[in-house]
Amino acid sequence: FPIVGIGASAGGLEAYRRLVEHLPTDTGMAFVLVQHLDPQHRSLLAELIGSATRMPVTEATDCLAVEPNRIYTIPPNVTLGILHGRLQILERIGERGRHLPVDDFFRSLAEDRGDQAIGVVLSGTASDGTAGLAAIKAAGGLTLVQDQVSAAYWGMPGSAVAAGCADLVLPPEEIAEELARIARHPLLRQRLLSESEPGDGAANALSKIYLLLRSRTG
């Protein structure tokens, strides 16, 4: 099933809440929230997001199996990865001020989920997430970015847009609606119900084109 990685830093909490408030609870997708956190303090992200949705919200632990229709949040002071559908808690990579948890998770997600990886970049400063979205696009996954009007900070979304890494640029509410539409799409549903066959890369790429055309034209 698709796993949606959602990255943010400054201004991200409000964007997260606006997104999850508009998400159905039965998309069949899992959601992993990767927020820039103070490494010295316990995170309240899971509790704050949990008050905005009826989906279960859990702070990630090592080797935790990801399940659909659930939300997972990154703990403080770690690098988060995923392998064979299980979250991996790794020692924090990078020096203070250069920690790029969104890029790190998105790259891991692209390797683990391939064309069933979806990356979302919300409000934040600097450029974390851009390289990770590029990895997801290269794997055939879908990338969505918060628009400039709704973002409290345009650094992270703007970097992704400038690099050509965004398939769609939307406010958080419309990102949620787009994810719901993708979940209901018959081509995606068919893929979820059957094992991928070797050599089906062209069909998967065509499915993504259909999704993008439908979102743009109705």
Side-chain angles (χ1 to χ4, degrees), residues 1-6 27-34 64-72 80-88 105-106 108-120 133 136 141-144 179 182-183 188 191-192:
F1 55 88
I3 296 178
V4 184
I6 309 176
T27 61
M29 300 174 173
F31 304 88
V32 181
L33 276 51
V34 184
L64 179 65
V66 175
E67 299 179 9
N69 304 318
R70 290 177 175 268
I71 298 174
Y72 303 87
L80 186 65
I82 186 167
L83 180 66
H84 303 315
R86 291 181 176 271
L87 296 172
Q88 308 293 314
F105 180 74
F106 283 4
S108 176
L109 180 63
E111 292 174 3
D112 195 65
R113 240 22 180 212
D115 62 2
Q116 290 192 3
I118 299 175
V120 179
L133 288 185
I136 289 174
L142 189 68
T143 59
L144 303 97
L179 292 172
I182 291 167
L188 180 60
R191 284 169 54 196
L192 292 177

Side-chain angles (χ1 to χ4, degrees), residues 124-145:
T125 59
S127 62
D128 191 16
T130 298
L133 288 185
I136 289 174
K137 281 179 70 69
L142 189 68
T143 59
L144 303 97
V145 172

Side-chain angles (χ1 to χ4, degrees), residues 190-207:
Q190 184 178 9
R191 284 169 54 196
L192 292 177
L193 293 172
S194 63
E195 293 290 330
S196 293
E197 296 294 333
D200 67 350
N204 291 342
L206 191 59
S207 297

Side-chain angles (χ1 to χ4, degrees), residues 139-153:
L142 189 68
T143 59
L144 303 97
V145 172
Q146 185 174 3
D147 70 339
Q148 187 170 7
V149 173
S150 67
Y153 295 88

Side-chain angles (χ1 to χ4, degrees), residues 17-202:
R17 289 181 61 90
R18 289 169 60 185
L19 194 156
V20 301
E21 284 173 351
H22 288 80
L23 273 175
T25 59
D26 59 351
T27 61
M29 300 174 173
F31 304 88
V32 181
L33 276 51
V34 184
Q35 170 76 20
H36 285 223
L37 299 170
D38 186 330
Q40 305 300 323
H41 294 87
R42 185 177 76 87
S43 172
L44 297 176
L45 184 60
E47 291 92 329
L48 294 171
I49 297 301
S51 66
T53 177
R54 288 180 294 152
M55 277 188 284
V57 182
T58 305
E59 186 171 275
T61 55
D62 196 36
C63 292
L64 179 65
V66 175
E67 299 179 9
N69 304 318
R70 290 177 175 268
I71 298 174
Y72 303 87
T73 65
I74 186 173
N77 201 32
V78 302
T79 292
L80 186 65
I82 186 167
L83 180 66
H84 303 315
R86 291 181 176 271
L87 296 172
Q88 308 293 314
I89 303 296
L90 308 170
E91 183 178 345
R92 178 170 170 149
I93 299 172
E95 299 298 326
R96 187 174 183 87
R98 293 184 57 83
H99 184 43
L100 301 173
V102 182
D103 279 337
D104 292 331
F105 180 74
F106 283 4
R107 289 192 189 99
S108 176
L109 180 63
E111 292 174 3
D112 195 65
R113 240 22 180 212
D115 62 2
Q116 290 192 3
I118 299 175
V120 179
V121 167
L122 302 176
S123 174
T125 59
S127 62
D128 191 16
T130 298
L133 288 185
I136 289 174
K137 281 179 70 69
L142 189 68
T143 59
L144 303 97
V145 172
Q146 185 174 3
D147 70 339
Q148 187 170 7
V149 173
S150 67
Y153 295 88
W154 179 238
M156 283 172 55
S159 173
V161 171
C165 295
D167 290 323
L168 297 170
V169 182
L170 302 165
E173 297 85 352
E174 293 183 27
I175 291 175
E177 292 167 5
E178 187 64 29
L179 292 172
R181 280 194 293 269
I182 291 167
R184 294 193 299 267
H185 196 284
L187 285 173
L188 180 60
R189 283 294 180 194
Q190 184 178 9
R191 284 169 54 196
L192 292 177
L193 293 172
S194 63
E195 293 290 330
S196 293
E197 296 294 333
D200 67 350

